[in-house]
Amino acid sequence: MKSQPIDTYASELAEDVRRAVADGSASGYDRRAASLFSDFEDPDFLRRTAGDVKQHTLENLDTYLAQTEDRLKENGVEVHWAGDAEAACRAVLKIMRDNGATKVVKSKSMATEEIHLNDFLEREGIESLETDLGEFIVQIDHDHPSHIVKPIIHKNRQGIARSYEREGLGAYDDRPEVITARARKFLRKKYLEASVGLTGANFIVAESGRLVLVTNEGNSRFCLAGTDIHIAVVGIEKVIPRDRDLSLFLSLLGRSATGQQLTVYTEFISGPRAEGQPDGPRQMHVILLDNRRTEVLASNCRDILRCIRCGACLNVCPIYRQASGHAYRSVYPGPVGAVLSPLLAGEKFSELADLPKASSLCGACKEVCPVNIPIPDLLLRLRDKAKHEGIKSPGTPPMGGWAYLASQPTVWRASLSAGRLMNLMPLNLIPVPALRAWTKSRQLPEWRGGAFRKWMKTRKIGGKDS
Amino acid sequence: MNNDREAILKRVGEAVGGLADRTPYPSFRNDLGVSTARSLDGDLWEIFCERFVAVNGMPVETPDAMVEYLKTFGYTHGYCDPALRESLAPFFDSGFTLEESFDRQDIDRYQFGITRAHAAIAETGSVVVTDRLTSSRLAALAPWVHIACITRDEIIRDTVAAVADLGDDPNVVWITGPSKTADVEGILIEGVHGPGIQICLLL
Ligand code: SF4
């Protein structure tokens, strides 16, 4: 029997990639944690409050979406609704065709990754260029981002320098400042050639219709300074009720993502450019995207829609650090992806049903999540869903024998003393194929079965020692 | 597309319609997200300077000092907001070229751009620029050096006050330091697409 797919990925990962991902996700952890824990007396209260604001919004999303649409329209924004990926892509294309536009510059957006917008536009003969440095490199390599915040965490400078050479961006030079400067030079021409700037949104405020975008590089600002039309593709779960919520969310997002009090550029966009402003879009369109978010909303895992895509849960996850983002075979990797991706897969749920199982439920993700999402609980609910739907994932150790033992007291007791044999058994020789695959990359702790029972028996009632 | 609208809103309604007890909007202080670790009492310009420097921004207190800096590093060709020209031009000597329009066909001609900012935020060391006050979005973004000008009474205490001050300008940007990335092996590089040097000049 095969290993769990995520184990296969992890074991086939090239050593330099494994190192890059492990180091990259661990680095900055102290700074991120310190920026929350030394700046606030009770950071957990912040996380719980932010979580409640988003949960409240989701549970009243019908009201808030209607309000958002009204405000956007009042602000002079055209609002489009897209039920699925295809509809969203078509909406973008239609706006472009209506305006005779053929070139798009894009700032980083998970929603457009999700709907595979670049591939779609390319097939329609439209040049769609990523401008975030990491995403740009992913695009020229025909690769996929492997982290929500650090898309090329799996690449090293040598590889990037070779890609640049291949693409005619300059002779081999792997200094990060040269890599960055060459992208700067190449992309600034492109911003001015394109007529459409495409973005996502980190938040959209229902009471004001404000779109909030955060970047460190400033590429989204450039996308909205050089072009004539702004199109934003925004998941319907990005809504927050009021402007007053922004101070809290921005504070948490910057700190959780990169340990910054604020990201360098925080943009509040509520319409086309002001009168008298010579640069920037004269038209603004917002495409509100469902793409199965309403299914998630209807499920018992709706809490995952609170996610503000900070990437903190990826950085702390022991599985992510070992396996890298591509092991999750979907747009959203790591703990958030292990919940969200199978749900967004719809009828293909079974293909990703192994992801919720690839977790030791250590809880690190829940501890760092700025919106306090109970990720381990949600993973368990998805395991339950898979079980109820009779979905078997390759490589999951069979638990039937254990279930039998655990439900028969006498057999359980007998097996406890026999269990000591386990210490002497070479685990990789266990004649159960799935278990063998599962233990190949894992060490079991020494068997100490029965100790607890003995302790219980000899313990004095109300006594201090046993 | 309108079909999609009805369908989505219907699905949302069905998804949340049956929820027995919905999470209420929590009660919290407006300034919950403002760090309590460091005091914001005192001269706001001083506090702003300290935090702006912490994010690698460069506060400058006089036009003389700004011109001196530009000269030292050989930044002699730039853009200046026409509304600021009268007050700033006297500080520049004949070694400088100041343009009052920004030519989008040749953006690399400009080594610096001087524009009017709306405010600065002491808590975070951020400069606030708005569409109505910025004479050219490109001029505030494309040159290597951006000089954002504010007056002392325009400094705002914290992000709560800055949010309350967003108003109805269609494009407000909080700028907290120079443009930067750590995409390549986590190494910090400044000046990715926007300015590598972010200055805030006190008028
Ligand atoms: S689930 Fe939480 S920690 Fe993970 S990316 Fe989303 S907001 Fe961040």
Side-chain angles (χ1 to χ4, degrees):
Chain A
M1 190 186 252
K2 287 190 294 189
S3 298
Q4 284 188 47
I6 212 160
D7 276 346
T8 312
Y9 267 87
S11 63
E12 286 168 1
L13 214 55
E15 190 47 36
D16 57 334
V17 177
R18 186 202 312 285
R19 274 258 67 81
V21 172
D23 293 351
S25 46
S27 83
Y29 175 72
D30 293 341
R31 191 183 57 227
R32 289 192 295 272
S35 72
L36 258 183
F37 284 87
S38 58
D39 279 5
F40 296 99
E41 272 161 36
D42 188 0
D44 279 345
F45 182 68
L46 268 71
R47 300 193 307 121
R48 282 201 307 275
T49 305
D52 283 351
V53 171
K54 283 223 82 169
Q55 190 72 16
H56 162 80
T57 319
L58 292 168
E59 292 176 2
N60 297 278
L61 195 59
D62 41 359
T63 319
Y64 284 121
L65 272 177
Q67 194 188 3
T68 306
E69 183 187 35
D70 288 347
R71 286 303 104 77
L72 284 169
K73 287 182 169 167
E74 283 166 26
N75 293 345
V77 177
E78 274 189 55
V79 182
H80 312 255
W81 298 77
D84 57 20
E86 169 84 17
C89 290
R90 296 238 159 258
V92 173
L93 185 66
K94 176 157 192 324
I95 298 166
M96 297 201 57
R97 293 260 157 91
D98 287 351
N99 288 279
T102 55
K103 287 180 180 170
V104 186
V105 277
K106 274 187 73 224
S107 81
K108 186 169 159 38
S109 139
M110 296 305 291
T112 56
E113 291 284 342
E114 187 187 315
I115 61 173
H116 303 291
L117 182 64
N118 284 344
D119 294 343
F120 173 88
L121 291 178
E122 220 162 89
R123 282 197 301 274
E124 299 291 337
I126 282 171
E127 179 186 299
S128 177
L129 192 69
E130 296 288 347
T131 60
D132 171 89
L133 178 61
E135 296 280 344
F136 170 68
I137 291 165
V138 161
Q139 191 179 27
I140 60 177
D141 278 353
H142 304 286
D143 195 358
H144 298 284
S146 66
H147 189 288
I148 298 178
V149 177
K150 313 169 197 171
I152 51 167
I153 192 171
H154 60 293
K155 290 182 189 287
N156 59 30
R157 61 179 90 183
Q158 291 84 7
I160 300 168
R162 282 193 295 274
S163 304
Y164 269 41
E165 199 172 24
R166 185 193 63 222
E167 298 296 318
L169 291 163
Y172 183 94
D173 190 329
D174 61 16
R175 287 172 295 170
E177 61 272 26
V178 174
I179 290 171
T180 308
R182 284 176 175 174
R184 175 184 173 96
K185 185 157 170 256
F186 177 77
L187 288 168
R188 50 183 39 215
K189 286 199 305 269
K190 297 289 184 180
Y191 293 120
L192 297 168
E193 282 169 21
S195 40
V196 174
L198 215 140
T199 72
N202 293 83
F203 306 100
I204 182 163
V205 184
E207 77 170 359
S208 60
R210 251 181 250 289
L211 226 74
V212 184
L213 268 175
V214 306
T215 71
N216 273 318
E217 298 184 2
N219 54 318
S220 70
R221 270 185 87 195
F222 231 132
C223 289
L224 302 182
T227 60
D228 231 23
I229 301 166
H230 177 194
I231 304 177
V233 179
V234 186
I236 53 172
E237 84 285 17
K238 295 284 166 190
V239 177
I240 56 173
R242 312 190 198 173
D243 281 337
R244 84 181 279 259
D245 306 324
L246 287 171
S247 163
L248 174 64
F249 278 97
L250 291 169
S251 171
L252 280 168
L253 178 57
R255 286 178 167 90
S256 306
T258 46
Q260 291 167 278
Q261 239 187 103
L262 270 183
T263 316
V264 174
Y265 299 109
T266 308
E267 296 167 76
F268 305 86
I269 302 156
S270 53
R273 74 190 191 198
E275 225 181 279
Q277 173 57 246
D279 311 319
R282 288 173 234 252
Q283 284 178 41
M284 178 171 170
H285 301 261
V286 169
I287 299 173
L288 293 168
L289 173 72
D290 178 355
N291 208 25
R292 299 193 189 281
R293 283 161 175 74
T294 46
E295 284 176 27
V296 183
L297 190 63
S299 77
N300 61 357
C301 292
R302 73 177 64 86
D303 303 26
I304 199 66
L305 294 175
R306 290 185 216 156
C307 175
I308 57 172
R309 312 275 188 267
C310 73
C313 58
L314 281 63
N315 295 326
V316 295
C317 177
I319 312 294
Y320 176 86
R321 285 183 181 180
Q322 285 298 315
S324 168
H326 293 162
Y328 295 79
R329 294 140 27 235
S330 48
V331 174
Y332 302 99
V336 55
V339 178
L340 194 54
S341 300
L343 288 168
L344 293 182
E347 63 273 8
K348 291 188 178 152
F349 173 77
S350 64
E351 289 174 21
L352 296 174
D354 62 296
L355 293 180
K357 298 179 184 171
S359 165
S360 61
L361 304 176
C362 74
C365 47
K366 177 180 192 296
E367 244 164 57
V368 295
C369 177
V371 282
N372 199 32
I373 300 175
I375 296 176
D377 294 350
L378 302 184
L379 291 170
L380 287 175
R381 284 178 203 165
L382 287 178
R383 289 183 188 182
D384 192 53
K385 173 174 154 76
K387 175 123 185 107
H388 275 96
E389 293 176 11
I391 297 163
K392 295 215 170 30
S393 309
T396 309
M399 301 301 271
W402 185 85
Y404 170 74
L405 287 181
S407 58
Q408 313 282 326
T410 30
V411 189
W412 178 251
R413 272 197 298 278
S415 69
L416 284 182
S417 31
R420 229 164 253 131
L421 281 175
M422 297 264 285
N423 287 340
L424 309 172
M425 252 202 315
L427 284 180
N428 51 4
L429 294 184
I430 293 178
V432 181
L435 201 56
R436 192 160 56 209
W438 194 76
T439 51
K440 201 159 71 187
S441 48
R442 289 172 181 80
Q443 290 276 308
L444 284 180
E446 194 186 328
W447 180 266
R448 294 177 31 182
F452 178 72
R453 287 178 160 273
K454 248 188 241 146
W455 173 79
M456 267 298 276
K457 239 192 226 155
T458 53
R459 176 183 81 108
K460 292 192 200 106
I461 305 291
K464 294 206 176 75
D465 51 357
S466 56
Chain B
M1 218 95 29
N2 274 333
N3 299 344
D4 280 14
R5 178 187 188 277
E6 304 319 323
I8 292 171
L9 287 174
K10 182 159 173 276
R11 288 198 292 269
V12 172
E14 283 165 3
V16 299
L19 291 176
D21 38 14
R22 301 192 192 186
T23 310
Y25 182 82
S27 90
F28 62 97
R29 291 189 339 261
N30 267 345
D31 63 352
L32 182 63
V34 177
S35 168
T36 45
R38 283 154 301 159
S39 164
L40 286 170
D41 298 330
D43 181 59
L44 288 181
W45 168 253
E46 294 296 319
I47 299 170
F48 166 76
C49 286
E50 184 200 315
R51 312 263 169 113
F52 193 48
V53 168
V55 295
N56 289 353
M58 190 187 296
V60 177
E61 296 201 329
T62 63
D64 272 329
M66 169 192 69
V67 172
E68 187 61 33
Y69 170 81
L70 292 175
K71 203 191 244 168
T72 309
F73 289 90
Y75 303 126
T76 55
H77 193 125
Y79 165 91
C80 182
D81 174 353
L84 290 166
R85 179 155 185 134
E86 202 182 322
S87 56
L88 292 178
F91 296 92
F92 289 91
D93 61 38
S94 58
F96 284 92
T97 311
L98 284 188
E99 295 193 43
E100 285 182 57
S101 61
F102 196 83
D103 179 4
R104 61 176 277 147
Q105 305 308 325
D106 190 18
I107 60 173
D108 288 327
R109 177 165 95 219
Y110 309 86
Q111 294 168 301
F112 60 89
I114 307 177
T115 64
R116 188 72 171 87
H118 169 76
I121 310 171
E123 177 206 349
T124 50
S126 312
V127 174
V128 180
V129 302
T130 61
D131 227 24
R132 296 208 180 103
L133 272 180
T134 305
S135 48
S136 157
R137 286 191 196 185
L138 278 172
L141 184 63
W144 183 253
V145 184
H146 176 228
I147 299 155
C149 304
I150 58 157
T151 61
R152 208 174 261 277
D153 58 356
E154 287 165 348
I155 302 167
I156 300 176
R157 184 186 144 93
D158 56 27
T159 50
V160 175
V163 165
D165 187 44
L166 284 171
D168 63 354
D169 194 285
N171 191 288
V172 181
V173 187
W174 296 354
I175 303 173
T176 312
S179 152
K180 68 177 184 184
T181 186
D183 273 350
V184 180
E185 294 187 9
I187 296 160
L188 177 73
I189 305 290
E190 291 179 336
V192 192
H193 308 273
I197 313 274
Q198 180 64 55
I199 290 177
C200 179
L201 171 68
L202 196 58
L203 288 177

